[in-house]
Amino acid sequence: MAPTEYDVKPEPGDLIEIFRVGYQHWAIYVGDGYVIHLAPPSEHAQAGASSMMSVLCDIAIVKKEEIWSVVGNDKYSINNLLDNKYEPRQVRDIIREAQSLLGKELPYCVFRGNCEHFVTELRYGKPQSRQVRKVLEIGVVFGLAVAGIGLLAAIFGPKDKEKTQEQAMRNL
């Protein structure tokens, strides 16, 4: 069993961030050592890198499991990441809604409906995913960098293709 980041016991309604290889899985603590989470078929504690295949799933199941069976050997932390932005819902409402969804198959989309969207909607009434936002921001920055390199090459690159080809032939 991996300890929490601060070794603090979660309270019902807390968001649990589990650090898998290459991504984070999210669950909501409901008390007595249990969490409820949205789990694609490939999502389980010992799945390792193969759980990354969840991006290809379009359906996931709402499950209630012991926190340690979901965390496995991974690290986790309590991360109520949007408390400074939104007022958390009443704990009884969070848990009632989470339990009403148990066993249901829900649409799953890594960009619009993943496990982080699921738990933030339960806690705040707003489905959000910071890790998707980070990935998209990195993609935009990378795309801009590639575009910038291409633009620089176009501006400062060879002006006369024929001369450049001639020079290349002479160097052979």
Side-chain angles (χ1 to χ4, degrees):
M1 291 188 282
T4 66
E5 188 172 289
Y6 305 105
D7 217 13
V8 175
K9 185 180 181 211
E11 297 291 325
D14 279 341
L15 301 184
I16 306 297
E17 182 178 20
I18 304 160
F19 300 93
R20 302 280 197 240
V21 176
Y23 73 103
Q24 290 81 39
H25 181 63
W26 290 81
I28 194 155
Y29 188 76
V30 293
D32 298 323
Y34 284 87
V35 294
I36 292 178
H37 61 125
L38 182 64
S42 61
E43 176 57 48
H44 55 87
Q46 275 61 47
S50 69
S51 64
M52 288 288 289
M53 295 305 290
S54 65
V55 299
L56 302 176
C57 296
D58 59 355
I59 296 286
I61 299 171
V62 179
K63 296 180 178 182
K64 181 178 181 180
E65 299 180 280
E66 286 186 339
I67 190 170
W68 295 116
S69 68
V70 177
V71 170
N73 293 323
D74 296 322
K75 292 187 189 279
Y76 82 91
S77 69
I78 299 165
N79 187 353
N80 298 318
L81 70 162
L82 299 173
D83 277 10
N84 61 347
K85 189 172 182 180
Y86 304 114
E87 182 75 25
R89 297 170 60 214
Q90 294 290 316
V91 171
R92 70 177 180 277
D93 295 335
I94 294 170
I95 293 173
R96 181 177 47 237
E97 185 176 346
Q99 290 186 348
S100 75
L101 296 169
L102 285 176
K104 293 195 175 171
E105 288 187 349
L106 298 179
Y108 183 86
C109 173
V110 73
F111 297 109
R112 293 183 315 276
N114 65 35
C115 57
E116 188 178 0
H117 290 104
F118 176 75
V119 298
T120 57
E121 184 166 19
L122 287 169
R123 183 169 174 90
Y124 306 106
K126 312 235 183 251
Q128 294 192 11
S129 178
R130 295 292 168 110
Q131 65 184 325
V132 167
R133 182 179 290 165
K134 284 179 192 172
V135 167
L136 292 175
E137 287 170 357
I138 290 168
V140 166
V141 169
F142 180 75
L144 289 173
V146 169
I149 291 168
L151 182 60
L152 289 173
I155 292 170
F156 298 109
K159 301 286 186 224
D160 189 343
K161 287 183 183 176
E162 287 181 20
K163 279 187 180 178
T164 304
Q165 288 173 348
E166 279 180 33
Q167 290 169 345
M169 293 301 282
R170 273 190 252 146
N171 290 334
L172 291 176

